[in-house]
């Protein structure tokens, strides 16, 4: 149920359109629109968390507000993180934080950058 995660019908429609598009490119990086965590069915607050991309390109892209790592925890599926080096993303809550679920919203720019594929 995407609605329980706050993913709108427009986001789903846009993702479906991209998934139906061209997918035979060699990946030139990875894009992630949002990561959301839950614990006991409740969304975990990420407002005090930080997202980093050790070894990543950090160059960003013009498509999604410079593609910075912080974009994946800003709560906005319309911004995204992009890394042309395809290195891991690290979320630091700065304190022990229980999580029992997570969801990923892929970036809506190029299917070949989908980290889930």
């Amino acid at each position: 149920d995407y609605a329980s995660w706050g993913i709108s019908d427009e986001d789903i429609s846009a993702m479906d359109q991209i998934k139906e598009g061209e997918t035979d490119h060699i990946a030139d990086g990875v894009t992630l629109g949002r990561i959301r965590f839950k614990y006991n069915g409740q969304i975990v607050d990420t407002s005090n968390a930080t997202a980093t991309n050790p070894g990543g390109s950090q160059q960003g892209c013009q498509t999604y507000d410079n593609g910075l790592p912080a974009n994946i925890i800003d709560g906005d599926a319309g911004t995204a993180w992009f890394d042309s080096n395809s290195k891991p993303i690290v979320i630091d809550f700065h304190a022990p934080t229980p999580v029992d679920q997570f969801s990923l919203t892929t970036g809506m720019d190029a299917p070949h950058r989908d980290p889930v594929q």
Side-chain angles (χ1 to χ4, degrees):
D1 179 5
Y2 292 111
S4 69
W5 287 94
I7 301 173
S8 70
D9 289 340
E10 289 100 14
D11 286 344
I12 293 168
S13 176
M15 288 185 282
D16 287 345
Q17 289 173 11
I18 289 168
K19 296 283 185 196
E20 293 172 5
E22 194 171 328
T23 60
D24 60 351
H25 288 70
I26 295 174
D28 59 347
V30 61
T31 302
L32 190 60
R34 178 173 57 191
I35 186 167
R36 186 171 280 174
F37 302 96
K38 282 189 172 184
Y39 181 67
N40 286 335
Q42 299 296 313
I43 294 174
V44 174
D45 180 20
T46 57
S47 62
N48 293 318
T50 55
T52 58
N53 182 213
S57 63
Q58 300 294 325
Q59 68 188 16
C61 64
Q62 294 180 354
T63 308
Y64 293 115
D65 191 25
N66 296 321
L68 301 173
N71 290 349
I72 69 164
I73 57 172
D74 67 2
D76 180 358
T79 62
W81 156 67
F82 172 72
D83 176 21
S84 62
N85 292 341
S86 298
K87 298 295 181 180
I89 191 82
V90 177
I91 310 301
D92 185 349
F93 287 96
H94 305 289
T97 305
V99 170
D100 59 11
Q101 295 179 14
F102 70 94
S103 68
L104 303 174
T105 302
T106 57
M108 294 185 267
D109 64 341
H112 63 278
R113 292 180 179 162
D114 183 345
V116 182
Q117 291 189 20

